[in-house]
Amino acid sequence: MAADTTEAVVQADREYILQTYARPDFVFERGEGVYLYDTDGKQYLDFVAGIAVNALGYGDPDVTEAIAAQAAKLIHVSNLYHTAPGGELARMLVESSPAFDKVFFSNSGAEAIEGAIKFARRYAREHFGEGKTTIVAFDGSFHGRTMGAVAVTAREKYREPFMPVMPGVRFADYNDLASLEAAMGDDVCAVLLEPIQGEGGLRVADESFLKAARALCDRHHALLIFDEIQCGMGRTGTLWGHEPSGVRPDMMTVAKPLAGGLPIGAVLLNQRIADTIHAGDHGTTFGGNPLSTAVAGVVLRKISDPDFLAHVRQVSSYLDESLQDLAADMPGTVLELRGRGLMRGIRIAGSAGAIREAAHSHGLLVATAGDDVIRLLPPLVIDTQHIDAAVAALREVLR
Ligand SMILES: *Cc1c(COP(=O)(O)O)cnc(C)c1O
C-alpha cells in the first residue's frame, strides 16, 4: 500500500475518531506469528500483543478455523436462549481451578469488574444487610474505565475528571499488610486485587500478602476478588497468576486473552456467591455469545496444555536472564526489573514513552506502565530468538 494511503488512514482517524488515544503514525495491515506488518510492509516484533490479548500471536490456525466454523453456524442469539459453546467454556473455566463453581460472561474486562462488584454487594446484602458495601482496592491498581471500574482504579488521572464515580471504595497500600488491616472493617464486602499489577507498574503481590488478605477477608466476612484480566491465562507460566500462592479467591475476573482477540470477559465465582444471585439480577446483550465463547474454548484448551505452559515457563526464565544481563550492563539506566513470567516491567531513569517511540524505528513494539516503566507483554508463543532480538533492540534504544 502506498505511503499516501497510510497518511489518509491516519488523517481520517484524527478527523473522525474521538482522540482518546495517542497513536504512532503507521498503520497495521496484517500479523503473522509474533510479527505485525504495516502498510509499508515494515515488520514489527510485537512485545505488546494487543495489550496481553494475542497470547497465541497472529493467525493461529485453530483460532482462525474456530472463528470461521462458529460464524458460519451462529454468532449471536442473546442470553434469552441456550446455545452450547457458553456452557462448555464455563465448564472448562470451572474445572481449571478448585475455587470456582459458576461463570458469568461479559464483553470486556471492565464489565467483568462491574459484575464482580455487583455480585459482591448482592452477596453481602443478602447475608449481612445494607451497611456492608465498601470495596477495598489498592494503590497502583487498574481495573478498567467504566464508573465502577474507575472507582476502584487508583490513578487519579483516570478517576478525578469523572467524579462522582461509584462511592464506597477505600484504597490500601499494595503489599502492605498493616495498611490493608487498617482499611478492613465490618463495612467491607470485598477486597479486590491484581495478583500482578498491569498498567499500575508490574508489581507482584507477595505470597504472604495474598495469604494475609485471605485471612483478613475471612475474619471480616468479606469476599476476596482477584483481577486476572492481564496476569491470567498462562502469562506467568501457570494458567492463573495466583496459582503458586495456593490462595483461593472467592471471585476472579478474566478477559483480555480469553477469546483470542474477540471481545469477552468472565467472572468466576464460588457457589456461596452464586446462591445469592437470581434470574434478572444482572445481564448483558452480547456477553457469552456463541462466537466468542466457542473461540475462547479453543484458546483455553491450547493454553491449558501442560506442554504449552512449560514453554511459557522456559521462555520466561530466558527473558528473565536476558533482562538481568541488560540491567547489569546499564546500571544508571535500568533501575529495577519487575513482574513475572511474560509480564515484565523495566523501570528506567527517563521516559518510558520516549523509549517506546524510539523502539518503533528498530521494529519493536513495547508498552509502558506509568511514566518510567517499559512493559513487555509478548505473545506466549515467542521463542528465545525473539527475546534476543527484542532485548538487543532495547539495548540500542536505551543507550
Ligand atoms: C485491561 C484491564 C482491565 C479492563 O479491561 P477492558 O477490557 O479494557 O475493559 C481490568 N483489569 C485489568 C487488570 C486489566 O489489565
Side-chain angles (χ1 to χ4, degrees):
M1 206 185 276
D4 56 337
T5 316
T6 301
E7 254 166 53
V9 171
V10 171
Q11 183 51 37
D13 277 8
R14 296 226 166 101
E15 193 166 346
Y16 297 110
I17 292 182
L18 187 66
Q19 294 297 292
T20 54
Y21 307 104
R23 295 170 174 164
D25 55 7
F26 45 81
V27 175
F28 284 129
E29 200 167 47
R30 66 189 181 87
E32 206 181 302
V34 298
Y35 295 102
L36 278 166
Y37 298 86
D38 71 12
T39 44
D40 297 325
K42 182 176 170 182
Q43 175 182 275
Y44 296 80
L45 176 58
D46 184 7
F47 269 52
V48 178
I51 319 182
V53 168
N54 303 318
L56 300 176
Y58 299 94
D60 180 272
D62 300 317
V63 169
T64 312
E65 194 188 304
I67 292 172
Q70 185 59 45
K73 275 197 268 183
L74 197 59
I75 294 174
H76 173 85
V77 292
S78 89
N79 285 306
L80 299 175
Y81 307 103
H82 287 291
T83 53
E88 171 62 12
L89 175 63
R91 183 186 63 74
M92 290 169 67
L93 286 168
V94 163
E95 288 177 356
S96 78
S97 163
F100 310 112
D101 302 294
K102 291 280 191 295
V103 180
F104 176 85
F105 290 117
S106 65
N107 309 288
S108 67
E111 278 178 75
I113 292 291
E114 298 289 335
I117 292 170
K118 286 179 75 174
F119 301 151
R121 286 194 170 164
R122 184 81 184 81
Y123 169 86
R125 176 179 286 249
E126 185 128 330
H127 283 282
F128 308 102
E130 281 183 21
K132 200 172 175 65
T133 57
T134 301
I135 315 277
V136 173
F138 293 89
D139 71 308
S141 63
F142 179 88
H143 299 293
R145 305 292 202 138
T146 52
M147 282 300 195
V150 287
V152 288
T153 289
R155 211 164 169 203
E156 302 229 328
K157 187 180 120 173
Y158 294 154
R159 186 159 34 88
E160 292 296 328
F162 311 104
M163 295 292 270
V165 296
M166 179 191 78
V169 178
R170 200 175 294 145
F171 286 98
D173 295 335
Y174 196 70
N175 272 340
D176 182 335
L177 180 54
S179 166
L180 177 57
E181 252 168 348
M184 293 304 284
D186 290 340
D187 63 324
V188 174
C189 69
V191 171
L192 169 63
L193 68 84
E194 296 157 86
I196 299 157
Q197 291 188 330
E199 327 284 312
L202 284 304
R203 286 185 298 168
V204 180
D206 300 331
E207 202 175 297
S208 60
F209 185 67
L210 294 179
K211 288 190 166 129
R214 178 70 273 173
L216 277 171
C217 283
D218 291 343
R219 191 186 313 160
H220 292 276
H221 305 291
L223 300 173
L224 181 61
I225 309 172
F226 286 166
D227 179 350
E228 294 229 6
I229 289 168
Q230 194 160 149
C231 70
M233 289 287 288
R235 181 142 298 272
T236 62
T238 49
L239 186 59
W240 306 119
H242 71 273
E243 257 176 61
S245 74
V247 172
R248 279 192 199 191
D250 299 294
M251 275 196 272
M252 180 168 79
T253 54
V254 183
K256 287 186 164 88
L258 180 55
L262 296 183
I264 195 170
V267 187
L268 282 58
L269 50 147
N270 66 31
Q271 193 58 42
R272 278 188 305 139
I273 305 167
D275 286 339
T276 65
I277 314 293
H278 311 292
D281 276 351
H282 192 43
T284 158
T285 298
F286 289 116
N289 72 59
L291 180 63
S292 59
T293 51
V295 176
V298 170
V299 173
L300 181 57
R301 195 168 296 119
K302 290 190 83 147
I303 290 180
S304 309
D305 186 319
D307 290 340
F308 186 95
L309 292 170
H311 166 82
V312 175
R313 287 193 294 275
Q314 187 199 328
V315 289
S316 291
S317 51
Y318 190 82
L319 175 61
D320 186 50
E321 284 163 26
S322 307
L323 293 178
Q324 304 263 13
D325 289 345
L326 179 77
D329 293 347
M330 304 184 122
T333 310
V334 174
L335 303 180
E336 186 190 353
L337 298 176
R338 293 182 180 175
R340 201 168 79 203
L342 294 181
M343 180 175 181
R344 299 301 308 260
I346 307 170
R347 191 163 71 84
I348 57 166
S351 158
I355 296 300
R356 178 188 58 206
E357 302 314 307
H360 293 155
S361 57
H362 288 74
L364 174 69
L365 303 176
V366 296
T368 59
D371 297 330
D372 60 354
V373 178
I374 301 165
R375 182 166 41 142
L376 307 179
L377 299 164
L380 306 185
V381 295
I382 54 156
D383 239 312
T384 53
Q385 78 195 61
H386 307 122
I387 292 171
D388 287 342
V391 174
L394 277 177
R395 220 173 252 279
E396 290 287 312
V397 291
L398 283 169
R399 199 164 49 200

